[in-house]
Amino acid sequence: MTQPVSPPRDNTPKLSPQVEPGPWWAVVARADVRTLSLLGVLAVLILIGGITKPDAFLDTRNLQLVLTQASVIGVVTVGMTFVITSGGIDLSVGAIVALASVWATTVATQEYGFAGILFTAVLVGVGCGLVNGLLIAYGAMVPFIATLAMLASARGLALQITDGNTQVVSVEGVLDLGERDSYVLGIPPLVMMFAVVTIIGWLVLNRTTFGRRTVAVGGNAEATRLAGIDVRRQRLYLYLLSGLCCGIAAFMLIILSGSGQNTNGNLYELDAIAAAIIGGTLLSGGRGTITGSVLGVLIFITIQNLFALNNLQSDVQQIAKGAIIVAAVLVQRRTANTT
């Protein structure tokens, strides 16, 4: 008796029906809603400043001060945006800024003039980023632990170098960049440096293979590895980039303050992370936006300026920052659930 022959099994993979993305204007609207929201928040803050302290807040010198202060932490935030987009975190950026600033302002370093200070600040930043990257990418350490160790080590080394003292800069070429005579069309040099870093960061993240690989690593590191991308090397490059941004920020801080201190960059890591998050960069990785991060920095610095002008206590300012961060995370979760 012959056994019935079962029909051949169809092993062809079943494709799920494609979902139409909708009209182009709807896609653009969804992409820009976060940016427009941040611009709206910034506009409201400017309106509040114009109403409460019109003469002081809208004064040209005050606006220049706001942009200058935003420039230093903004450069750090650009590097942090890349790291968070890849699914990592860097808690050591503030300590790296401090270490780079004091190492670049020692008496021995200042003997080499402007170039010596700039080169040392950048070299120290990149060196710290290299250590972070090696520990995380090739040492298989959790980014939180590796960068926390760097935070403690860099702060300790900065304190040891300065012995708790402020190192005053005597190089005229550096000090001149902080003077109003160096402003171009009313724009401080630090703001122009920030603009250049922002533009380069945006182009790298959105228009290069490096940027696409960064997003891919943050979205699914294992799938990215199987696609032939060296995930460990990419992560190493990202922490090098973060260290580079810290070195540049340290040099800018030296220009701004005319000195190097072991307390420089205090809580920069929290401000940079917060600015990136409220700007729309996913803390879990896979999505990042330089434009949003820059707007996040401007919002935080504007809030800080408003509180200072209205003689409000700093603890209330910290509460306001915390509330903004919580609101941003809730918006992210809601957006993720609806997309």
Side-chain angles (χ1 to χ4, degrees), residues 28-53:
V28 173
R30 286 196 297 269
D32 290 341
V33 65
R34 185 176 292 102
T35 300
L36 292 175
S37 300
L38 292 172
L39 287 172
V41 172
L42 187 59
V44 170
L45 292 174
I46 294 174
L47 180 62
I48 292 174
I51 294 175
T52 58
K53 293 286 183 179

Side-chain angles (χ1 to χ4, degrees), residues 241-256:
L241 176 60
S242 179
L244 173 63
C245 289
C246 290
I248 296 173
F251 180 71
M252 296 169 67
L253 198 56
I254 292 171
I255 296 173
L256 183 62

Side-chain angles (χ1 to χ4, degrees), residues 9 15 35 39 43 46 49 53-54 73 115 118 150 168 170 214 222 243 299 316 330 334 336:
R9 181 178 299 175
L15 299 178
T35 300
L39 287 172
I46 294 174
K53 293 286 183 179
I73 184 62
L118 174 59
M150 176 59 72
V168 180
S170 58
T214 300
E222 181 61 20
I299 288 173
V316 181
L330 291 176
R334 177 164 185 165

Side-chain angles (χ1 to χ4, degrees), residues 42-254:
L42 187 59
V44 170
L45 292 174
I46 294 174
L47 180 62
I48 292 174
I51 294 175
T52 58
K53 293 286 183 179
D55 295 333
F57 181 77
L58 298 178
D59 182 71
T60 302
R61 289 178 179 267
N62 183 64
L63 296 178
Q64 290 172 337
L65 175 63
V66 170
L67 291 176
T68 301
Q69 291 176 337
S71 298
V72 180
I73 184 62
V75 170
V76 176
T77 304
V78 170
M80 183 69 77
T81 301
F82 277 88
V83 172
I84 296 179
T85 301
S86 71
I89 199 73
D90 192 347
L91 301 179
S92 64
V93 290
I96 294 175
V97 169
L99 179 59
S101 69
V102 300
W103 208 324
T105 54
T106 59
V107 175
T109 303
Q110 292 193 51
E111 292 178 354
Y112 294 94
F114 183 98
I117 293 177
L118 174 59
F119 177 77
T120 303
V122 171
L123 183 63
V124 172
V126 172
C128 292
L130 176 62
V131 174
N132 280 337
L134 289 175
L135 290 175
I136 294 168
Y138 295 95
M141 288 188 67
V142 178
F144 182 90
I145 300 299
T147 58
L148 186 62
M150 176 59 72
L151 182 156
S153 302
R155 282 288 177 194
L157 185 55
L159 179 60
Q160 186 178 47
I161 292 175
T162 61
D163 197 22
N165 300 317
T166 300
Q167 298 178 164
V168 180
V169 176
S170 58
V171 179
E172 293 297 331
V174 175
L175 297 175
D176 289 343
L177 289 177
E179 301 294 332
R180 297 188 63 83
D181 294 339
S182 64
Y183 289 11
V184 179
L185 299 177
I187 303 175
L190 297 187
V191 178
M192 291 186 285
M193 293 173 64
F194 176 39
V196 171
V197 172
T198 299
I199 293 172
I200 294 176
W202 187 91
L203 290 174
V204 170
L205 184 60
N206 296 281
R207 294 290 184 269
T208 67
T209 302
F210 183 87
R212 290 191 292 271
R213 289 179 176 177
T214 300
V215 175
V217 169
N220 191 324
E222 181 61 20
T224 304
R225 185 186 66 82
L226 294 175
I229 296 175
D230 192 333
V231 174
R232 294 189 299 178
R233 185 172 60 186
Q234 183 70 17
R235 284 174 173 160
L236 174 62
Y237 289 161
L238 288 167
Y239 283 95
L240 283 173
L241 176 60
S242 179
L244 173 63
C245 289
C246 290
I248 296 173
F251 180 71
M252 296 169 67
L253 198 56
I254 292 171

